Amino acid sequence: MDELSNIRGSCLRAHCNVGKKTVNGRWMRLRRRTALGGSGPGRRYATQQINQAYTVLLMSQFQRYCRELHTEAIRFLTSAPPKDPRSTLLRVRLTEGRKLDAGNANPSNLGSDFARFGMNFWDVVKAHQRGNRARQEKLSVLNQWRNAIAHQNFDSPILSGRSSIRLAEIRAWRAVCKSLAESFDAVVRAHLMGIIGKAPW
Amino acid sequence: MPRGATTRSNGRQLRVGQRVIYRVGKNRFRAVIVEDRGNIGIDGERIFLLRALEDGPAAAGETFELAAEELKPIR
C-alpha cells in the first residue's frame, strides 16, 4: 500500500516537474488575482471574488425564476382535463428541449421558450413598461459577464477589456432582473388569460 | 409537503436517476429522471425534469417536464 502511494507520489511530482514553469506561472497569476492583505489603502478582503460570485448567483436565480414561471404557465394551460392524454402530450411538447433547462436566461433563450405559448415575448415585454427595452440590453450584458466569470474568459468586446466588476453595477443588474421578473409575470398572466379566459394566478 | 395535504401518487418513490414510464393514451414511453424540480406545479404538484429514452412525444435524448403523478417507476 505504501509502495503504491510512493509510486503515485513520484508520478505526480514528475508530472509537476514536467510542466513546472507553466504550473508555477498559472499559480502565481491565480495568487495575484486572489491575493488578500497588503499594506496599501483599500479593503482587505476578496471584493472581486465576492462580486463575481454575486453576479453568477444573481443570474442563476433569475434563470430559475424564469424556468419556474414557464413551468407554471404550462401546468395551468394544461390543467383543465387532468387525465386527458392531450394534456400530457402538450406538457411534453411545451417543455421538450427547453432552452432554459440547458442554457442561460439570456434574451434570446427567453424569447424562444416563451414563444411556445404563441406570444411575441419581447415585443409584449417592451410594450409592458417603457424601460424594458433598455433592461433587455442590460440583461444581455449581465449574461456576458456571467459567462466571462463562469469560464474565466474576459475577452468579450462587450466587457470593453475589463475583468473587474463593481458592486454598484451588480445592484443595478439586480434592479433590472426584479423589474423584468415583474413584467414577465404580468405579460404571461395576461397572455394565459387571453387563451383560457380566467386568471391563472 | 405538510401532513394531510394532497398526496400525489408516487412522488415520494421517485428519485433522480430512476427510469420511469409515462403514458399518452394507450402508449407507454420510457424516460429517466434527471432533476427533481420540487413542488412547483399547481397545488404543489411535484415536477421532474426527464430525458426521453426512446422516441415518442419527445425525441430520444431530449429533456421535458412532467408531474410525479404522470410517472410510474420501472422496477
Side-chain angles (χ1 to χ4, degrees), chain A residues 71 91 93 95-98, chain B residues 37 45 57 59 63 65 67 70:
Chain A
T71 295
R91 281 174 204 142
R93 297 298 291 174
T95 52
E96 183 187 359
R98 187 168 56 181
Chain B
R37 290 273 155 91
E45 280 176 313
T63 56
E65 280 182 351
E70 295 169 286

Side-chain angles (χ1 to χ4, degrees), chain A residues 64 67-68 71-72 75-76 79 82-83 85 87-89 91-93 95-98 101, chain B residues 22-25 35 37 40-42 45 47 49 57-59 62-67 70:
Chain A
R64 181 174 178 172
R67 202 175 54 198
E68 290 189 0
T71 295
E72 205 172 334
R75 302 311 297 184
F76 194 81
S79 65
K83 298 288 177 193
S87 298
T88 306
L89 203 55
R91 281 174 204 142
V92 172
R93 297 298 291 174
T95 52
E96 183 187 359
R98 187 168 56 181
D101 286 324
Chain B
Y22 66 100
R23 295 177 64 144
V24 178
E35 193 180 325
R37 290 273 155 91
I40 60 168
I42 295 171
E45 280 176 313
I47 305 289
L49 182 70
E62 286 290 350
T63 56
F64 60 97
E65 280 182 351
L66 280 177
E70 295 169 286

Side-chain angles (χ1 to χ4, degrees), chain A residues 31-49:
Chain A
R31 279 197 65 182
R32 273 198 296 275
R33 274 191 215 133
T34 58
L36 303 180
S39 56
R43 290 176 180 162
R44 289 289 166 268
Y45 49 87
T47 312
Q48 203 44 226
Q49 283 72 19

